[in-house]
PDB file of all heavy atoms in Angstrom:
ATOM      1  N   ASP A 115    -158.127-117.696  -4.047  1.00  0.00           N
ATOM      2  CA  ASP A 115    -156.717-117.936  -4.086  1.00  0.00           C
ATOM      3  C   ASP A 115    -156.399-117.815  -2.496  1.00  0.00           C
ATOM      4  O   ASP A 115    -156.648-116.848  -1.815  1.00  0.00           O
ATOM      5  CB  ASP A 115    -156.095-116.834  -4.757  1.00  0.00           C
ATOM      6  CG  ASP A 115    -154.527-117.056  -4.856  1.00  0.00           C
ATOM      7  OD1 ASP A 115    -154.051-117.761  -5.786  1.00  0.00           O
ATOM      8  OD2 ASP A 115    -153.811-116.455  -4.032  1.00  0.00           O
ATOM      9  N   CYS A 119    -149.353-113.352   0.058  1.00  0.00           N
ATOM     10  CA  CYS A 119    -148.464-112.313  -0.468  1.00  0.00           C
ATOM     11  C   CYS A 119    -149.214-111.028  -0.742  1.00  0.00           C
ATOM     12  O   CYS A 119    -148.543-109.973  -0.614  1.00  0.00           O
ATOM     13  CB  CYS A 119    -147.763-112.932  -1.669  1.00  0.00           C
ATOM     14  SG  CYS A 119    -148.813-113.437  -2.925  1.00  0.00           S
ATOM     15  N   GLU A 120    -150.493-110.970  -1.089  1.00  0.00           N
ATOM     16  CA  GLU A 120    -151.078-109.672  -1.366  1.00  0.00           C
ATOM     17  C   GLU A 120    -151.453-108.957   0.009  1.00  0.00           C
ATOM     18  O   GLU A 120    -151.900-107.760   0.002  1.00  0.00           O
ATOM     19  CB  GLU A 120    -152.404-109.904  -2.086  1.00  0.00           C
ATOM     20  CG  GLU A 120    -152.269-110.416  -3.483  1.00  0.00           C
ATOM     21  CD  GLU A 120    -153.093-111.701  -3.710  1.00  0.00           C
ATOM     22  OE1 GLU A 120    -154.296-111.623  -3.684  1.00  0.00           O
ATOM     23  OE2 GLU A 120    -152.367-112.827  -3.754  1.00  0.00           O
ATOM     24  N   SER A 162    -152.182-121.329  -3.073  1.00  0.00           N
ATOM     25  CA  SER A 162    -151.185-121.043  -4.104  1.00  0.00           C
ATOM     26  C   SER A 162    -149.786-120.742  -3.581  1.00  0.00           C
ATOM     27  O   SER A 162    -148.915-120.352  -4.248  1.00  0.00           O
ATOM     28  CB  SER A 162    -151.644-119.737  -4.855  1.00  0.00           C
ATOM     29  OG  SER A 162    -151.610-118.664  -4.063  1.00  0.00           O
ATOM     30  N   LYS A 192    -145.914-124.998  -9.065  1.00  0.00           N
ATOM     31  CA  LYS A 192    -145.865-123.619  -9.402  1.00  0.00           C
ATOM     32  C   LYS A 192    -144.443-123.256  -9.404  1.00  0.00           C
ATOM     33  O   LYS A 192    -143.633-123.468  -8.468  1.00  0.00           O
ATOM     34  CB  LYS A 192    -146.634-122.818  -8.253  1.00  0.00           C
ATOM     35  CG  LYS A 192    -146.565-121.370  -8.388  1.00  0.00           C
ATOM     36  CD  LYS A 192    -147.450-120.756  -7.450  1.00  0.00           C
ATOM     37  CE  LYS A 192    -147.326-119.218  -7.403  1.00  0.00           C
ATOM     38  NZ  LYS A 192    -148.237-118.647  -6.351  1.00  0.00           N
ATOM     39  N   TYR A 198    -144.907-113.828 -13.644  1.00  0.00           N
ATOM     40  CA  TYR A 198    -145.829-113.263 -12.715  1.00  0.00           C
ATOM     41  C   TYR A 198    -145.799-111.832 -12.624  1.00  0.00           C
ATOM     42  O   TYR A 198    -146.577-111.174 -11.812  1.00  0.00           O
ATOM     43  CB  TYR A 198    -145.814-113.951 -11.314  1.00  0.00           C
ATOM     44  CG  TYR A 198    -145.749-115.458 -11.241  1.00  0.00           C
ATOM     45  CD1 TYR A 198    -145.034-116.079 -10.289  1.00  0.00           C
ATOM     46  CD2 TYR A 198    -146.495-116.252 -12.212  1.00  0.00           C
ATOM     47  CE1 TYR A 198    -145.018-117.442 -10.211  1.00  0.00           C
ATOM     48  CE2 TYR A 198    -146.439-117.623 -12.153  1.00  0.00           C
ATOM     49  CZ  TYR A 198    -145.673-118.251 -11.161  1.00  0.00           C
ATOM     50  OH  TYR A 198    -145.653-119.489 -11.155  1.00  0.00           O
ATOM     51  N   PHE A 201    -148.933-109.564 -12.735  1.00  0.00           N
ATOM     52  CA  PHE A 201    -149.880-109.814 -11.693  1.00  0.00           C
ATOM     53  C   PHE A 201    -149.422-109.112 -10.411  1.00  0.00           C
ATOM     54  O   PHE A 201    -150.240-108.528  -9.646  1.00  0.00           O
ATOM     55  CB  PHE A 201    -149.883-111.370 -11.427  1.00  0.00           C
ATOM     56  CG  PHE A 201    -150.675-111.766 -10.139  1.00  0.00           C
ATOM     57  CD1 PHE A 201    -152.048-112.091 -10.309  1.00  0.00           C
ATOM     58  CD2 PHE A 201    -150.101-111.732  -8.921  1.00  0.00           C
ATOM     59  CE1 PHE A 201    -152.797-112.450  -9.139  1.00  0.00           C
ATOM     60  CE2 PHE A 201    -150.827-112.109  -7.736  1.00  0.00           C
ATOM     61  CZ  PHE A 201    -152.042-112.415  -7.864  1.00  0.00           C
ATOM     62  N   ARG A 202    -148.179-109.066 -10.146  1.00  0.00           N
ATOM     63  CA  ARG A 202    -147.666-108.489  -8.910  1.00  0.00           C
ATOM     64  C   ARG A 202    -147.858-107.068  -8.937  1.00  0.00           C
ATOM     65  O   ARG A 202    -148.094-106.411  -7.910  1.00  0.00           O
ATOM     66  CB  ARG A 202    -146.163-108.926  -8.726  1.00  0.00           C
ATOM     67  CG  ARG A 202    -146.054-110.393  -8.361  1.00  0.00           C
ATOM     68  CD  ARG A 202    -144.677-110.859  -8.126  1.00  0.00           C
ATOM     69  NE  ARG A 202    -144.627-112.263  -7.925  1.00  0.00           N
ATOM     70  CZ  ARG A 202    -143.613-113.118  -7.849  1.00  0.00           C
ATOM     71  NH1 ARG A 202    -142.417-112.456  -7.989  1.00  0.00           N
ATOM     72  NH2 ARG A 202    -143.631-114.361  -7.733  1.00  0.00           N
ATOM     73  N   ARG A 214    -139.075-115.634  -4.379  1.00  0.00           N
ATOM     74  CA  ARG A 214    -139.891-116.761  -3.836  1.00  0.00           C
ATOM     75  C   ARG A 214    -139.185-118.174  -4.274  1.00  0.00           C
ATOM     76  O   ARG A 214    -139.789-119.159  -4.216  1.00  0.00           O
ATOM     77  CB  ARG A 214    -141.296-116.720  -4.503  1.00  0.00           C
ATOM     78  CG  ARG A 214    -142.075-115.464  -4.223  1.00  0.00           C
ATOM     79  CD  ARG A 214    -143.572-115.739  -4.151  1.00  0.00           C
ATOM     80  NE  ARG A 214    -144.334-114.610  -4.734  1.00  0.00           N
ATOM     81  CZ  ARG A 214    -144.623-113.546  -4.017  1.00  0.00           C
ATOM     82  NH1 ARG A 214    -144.009-113.417  -2.856  1.00  0.00           N
ATOM     83  NH2 ARG A 214    -145.352-112.625  -4.460  1.00  0.00           N
ATOM     84  N   GLN A 218    -141.117-121.677  -4.425  1.00  0.00           N
ATOM     85  CA  GLN A 218    -141.630-122.016  -5.711  1.00  0.00           C
ATOM     86  C   GLN A 218    -140.550-122.770  -6.472  1.00  0.00           C
ATOM     87  O   GLN A 218    -139.367-122.769  -6.185  1.00  0.00           O
ATOM     88  CB  GLN A 218    -142.000-120.723  -6.468  1.00  0.00           C
ATOM     89  CG  GLN A 218    -143.111-119.978  -5.743  1.00  0.00           C
ATOM     90  CD  GLN A 218    -143.541-118.667  -6.461  1.00  0.00           C
ATOM     91  OE1 GLN A 218    -142.931-118.286  -7.431  1.00  0.00           O
ATOM     92  NE2 GLN A 218    -144.631-118.162  -6.092  1.00  0.00           N
ATOM     93  N   LYS A 245    -148.498-124.126 -13.202  1.00  0.00           N
ATOM     94  CA  LYS A 245    -148.486-122.622 -13.424  1.00  0.00           C
ATOM     95  C   LYS A 245    -146.990-122.176 -13.512  1.00  0.00           C
ATOM     96  O   LYS A 245    -146.135-122.533 -12.735  1.00  0.00           O
ATOM     97  CB  LYS A 245    -149.206-122.013 -12.225  1.00  0.00           C
ATOM     98  CG  LYS A 245    -149.074-120.467 -12.235  1.00  0.00           C
ATOM     99  CD  LYS A 245    -149.734-120.004 -10.957  1.00  0.00           C
ATOM    100  CE  LYS A 245    -149.438-118.574 -10.741  1.00  0.00           C
ATOM    101  NZ  LYS A 245    -149.526-118.093  -9.453  1.00  0.00           N
ATOM    102  N   VAL A 270    -150.717-117.363 -17.160  1.00  0.00           N
ATOM    103  CA  VAL A 270    -150.580-116.250 -16.155  1.00  0.00           C
ATOM    104  C   VAL A 270    -150.381-114.909 -16.803  1.00  0.00           C
ATOM    105  O   VAL A 270    -150.388-114.753 -18.019  1.00  0.00           O
ATOM    106  CB  VAL A 270    -149.215-116.507 -15.229  1.00  0.00           C
ATOM    107  CG1 VAL A 270    -149.442-117.796 -14.394  1.00  0.00           C
ATOM    108  CG2 VAL A 270    -148.026-116.558 -16.015  1.00  0.00           C
ATOM    109  N   SER A 271    -150.324-113.893 -15.909  1.00  0.00           N
ATOM    110  CA  SER A 271    -150.326-112.513 -16.387  1.00  0.00           C
ATOM    111  C   SER A 271    -149.292-112.126 -17.448  1.00  0.00           C
ATOM    112  O   SER A 271    -149.521-111.530 -18.362  1.00  0.00           O
ATOM    113  CB  SER A 271    -150.124-111.603 -15.173  1.00  0.00           C
ATOM    114  OG  SER A 271    -148.881-111.931 -14.454  1.00  0.00           O
ATOM    115  N   TYR A 310    -156.738-114.875 -18.393  1.00  0.00           N
ATOM    116  CA  TYR A 310    -157.286-113.494 -18.569  1.00  0.00           C
ATOM    117  C   TYR A 310    -157.980-113.247 -19.834  1.00  0.00           C
ATOM    118  O   TYR A 310    -158.628-112.268 -20.169  1.00  0.00           O
ATOM    119  CB  TYR A 310    -156.087-112.497 -18.362  1.00  0.00           C
ATOM    120  CG  TYR A 310    -155.449-112.679 -17.037  1.00  0.00           C
ATOM    121  CD1 TYR A 310    -154.335-113.463 -16.840  1.00  0.00           C
ATOM    122  CD2 TYR A 310    -156.090-112.070 -15.835  1.00  0.00           C
ATOM    123  CE1 TYR A 310    -153.718-113.587 -15.644  1.00  0.00           C
ATOM    124  CE2 TYR A 310    -155.455-112.375 -14.540  1.00  0.00           C
ATOM    125  CZ  TYR A 310    -154.281-113.065 -14.555  1.00  0.00           C
ATOM    126  OH  TYR A 310    -153.713-113.280 -13.287  1.00  0.00           O
TER     127      TYR A 310
HETATM  128  C1  PBG B 401    -150.135-115.846  -5.299  1.00  0.00           C
HETATM  129  C2  PBG B 401    -150.404-115.863  -6.792  1.00  0.00           C
HETATM  130  C3  PBG B 401    -149.609-115.301  -7.719  1.00  0.00           C
HETATM  131  C4  PBG B 401    -150.283-115.519  -8.881  1.00  0.00           C
HETATM  132  C5  PBG B 401    -151.477-116.241  -8.592  1.00  0.00           C
HETATM  133  N1  PBG B 401    -151.484-116.441  -7.256  1.00  0.00           N
HETATM  134  C6  PBG B 401    -148.345-114.558  -7.681  1.00  0.00           C
HETATM  135  C7  PBG B 401    -147.089-115.077  -7.202  1.00  0.00           C
HETATM  136  O1  PBG B 401    -146.991-116.257  -6.964  1.00  0.00           O
HETATM  137  O2  PBG B 401    -146.264-114.291  -7.119  1.00  0.00           O
HETATM  138  C8  PBG B 401    -149.818-115.135 -10.282  1.00  0.00           C
HETATM  139  C9  PBG B 401    -150.883-115.165 -11.331  1.00  0.00           C
HETATM  140  C10 PBG B 401    -150.473-114.434 -12.546  1.00  0.00           C
HETATM  141  O3  PBG B 401    -149.257-114.066 -12.792  1.00  0.00           O
HETATM  142  O4  PBG B 401    -151.271-114.224 -13.388  1.00  0.00           O
HETATM  143  N2  PBG B 401    -151.073-115.243  -4.477  1.00  0.00           N
END
Side-chain angles (χ1 to χ4, degrees):
D115 184 84
C119 55
E120 295 122 72
S162 68
K192 176 170 173 182
Y198 308 147
F201 173 94
R202 291 179 184 171
R214 305 207 210 289
Q218 299 182 349
K245 176 182 166 199
V270 299
S271 55
Y310 303 95

